[in-house]
Amino acid sequence: MYIRRDAGIAIRLFAIVLFIATGLTSKLAHSQCEPLWQPFDSTTASLSGTNGTVFATTMWDPDGPGPQTSKLVVAGDFTIAGNAVAHELASYDPVTGNWAPLVAGMTGSVFAFTTLPNGDLIVGGFFSSVGGVSANNIARLNAATGQWTPLGSGVNAGVVALTTLPNGDVVAGGNFIFAGGVSAFCIARWNPTSGQWSPLGAGMNDNVNAITTLPNGDLIVGGDFTTAGGVSANRVARWSPLTEQWSPLGGGVNAEVLALTTLANGELVAGGLFTTADGATANRIARWSSLNGQWAPMGSGLNAEVRALTTLPSGELVAGGFFTTADGATANRVARWN
């Protein structure tokens, strides 16, 4: 069991997320033609960034439904963000244009974010302390007090995927086998009310790299596993909160899933190293429809791995990775699907 995390090749989707944060999506052209991949012009969202690799980004509203504006939060292997000294974690305010550090000290790196309904920020990664507080690979930032706290006794190995369920529970994925001292193979749920960890069924037989949710609340998980809850599921699986059961998504894909997102129409998109989905050609990216229960390619795909996916407010999809072409056209590591 392993997770590949090479700082030298991590994806920088910094400009993409800032593009969303600053409300510039109106500059995207809305074509009436067939869906296709297009190069993404990151110069439309230029600003000074970080002096090192960015591993994870998210939009964070510190006071939940309150009056404060949302901020961009980034994590990675850097010491400077904009003109601010910020080690590993930083926030950017699109209204003021200012960067600020989020933590005074961290032993390790952050690879995933999620937020609670009240605005608290959850971070996951490979670390043993954050802000001077002992926290095993996952921690919580209280947006009101600025204090960091652990999530129970945490997990015993890295966290690389996080999401928050509609009921407020946090789901973490990675390569751990214990969460809060309870057996939880590569995926676990944390209840903020009780402060307790619990497994999601029997979990997975290998790494979980990505998590997203469908409009009906079902959880979709991607990684390098071939079973979920003891059921055959080739690298992508669905968890139903109602039945608390795992199920496959068709025949799955033939290699590792590294990224997931849900489109505005409710369809799921998976990206990664695979070249087939349900046995049909789907080069590193594929779309799953819950309506017909089938995988479909997205054009001719991309010529190298996809490591990040984001759905824009316009409904367009942005993919980031190590590819240089999309649908055979030049697209250097970032492309959008219209």
Side-chain angles (χ1 to χ4, degrees):
M1 186 180 297
Y2 73 98
I3 288 181
R4 184 177 64 248
R5 289 288 178 242
D6 187 335
I9 59 174
I11 293 304
R12 284 187 165 200
L13 286 183
F14 175 70
I16 298 170
V17 179
L18 183 65
F19 184 79
I20 301 168
T22 52
L24 295 175
T25 52
S26 61
K27 292 187 179 181
L28 289 174
H30 293 274
S31 173
Q32 300 301 316
C33 60
E34 291 297 313
L36 51 84
W37 284 106
Q38 299 172 319
F40 188 95
D41 181 7
S42 63
T43 61
T44 56
S46 61
L47 87 166
S48 58
T50 65
N51 67 337
T53 304
V54 171
F55 298 133
T57 62
T58 194
M59 292 306 297
W60 174 47
D61 189 343
D63 60 350
Q68 291 189 43
T69 57
S70 295
K71 295 177 172 61
L72 171 69
V73 179
V74 300
D77 183 19
F78 55 81
T79 57
I80 300 292
N83 59 359
V85 175
H87 292 267
E88 286 87 29
L89 281 170
S91 67
Y92 173 80
D93 188 328
V95 175
T96 65
N98 293 328
W99 283 96
L102 271 183
V103 63
M106 170 170 283
T107 56
S109 298
V110 169
F111 285 95
F113 293 116
T114 192
T115 57
L116 298 183
N118 69 347
D120 285 4
L121 182 71
I122 307 293
V123 302
F126 297 76
F127 53 83
S128 57
S129 70
V130 56
V133 176
S134 178
N136 291 317
N137 304 303
I138 190 165
R140 174 180 183 172
L141 174 61
N142 185 307
T145 66
Q147 298 297 309
W148 288 93
T149 57
L151 272 65
S153 59
V155 300
N156 72 318
V159 172
V160 296
L162 288 168
T163 196
T164 302
L165 298 180
N167 68 352
D169 285 2
V170 173
V171 176
N175 66 344
F176 52 85
I177 58 174
F178 290 101
V182 177
S183 292
F185 290 92
C186 302
I187 192 163
R189 176 170 49 194
W190 183 73
N191 184 313
T193 302
S194 67
Q196 298 295 312
W197 285 96
S198 61
L200 269 69
M204 275 62 179
N205 68 333
D206 211 330
N207 297 338
V208 167
N209 298 328
I211 304 172
T212 191
T213 54
L214 297 180
N216 68 352
D218 283 1
L219 193 70
I220 305 297
V221 176
D224 203 23
F225 52 85
T226 54
T227 65
V231 176
S232 178
N234 290 315
R235 300 168 185 90
V236 61
R238 182 196 329 237
W239 168 264
S240 170
L242 294 178
T243 65
E244 297 202 340
Q245 297 291 321
W246 287 103
S247 60
L249 269 68
V253 298
N254 70 327
E256 195 168 5
V257 171
L258 298 168
L260 293 167
T261 194
T262 304
L263 299 179
N265 65 0
E267 289 187 334
L268 170 76
V269 177
L273 296 168
F274 55 86
T275 55
T276 67
D278 263 341
T281 299
N283 289 313
R284 288 106 190 166
I285 194 162
R287 178 170 52 187
W288 166 267
S289 172
S290 295
L291 295 178
N292 60 21
Q294 294 180 349
W295 287 99
M298 301 181 75
S300 61
L302 305 124
N303 69 330
E305 69 187 80
V306 171
R307 296 192 67 93
L309 293 167
T310 296
T311 303
L312 300 181
S314 64
E316 292 183 318
L317 174 72
V318 174
F322 300 110
F323 52 85
T324 55
T325 66
D327 263 348
T330 299
N332 290 315
R333 300 172 183 83
V334 183
R336 75 172 183 260
W337 174 259
N338 186 323

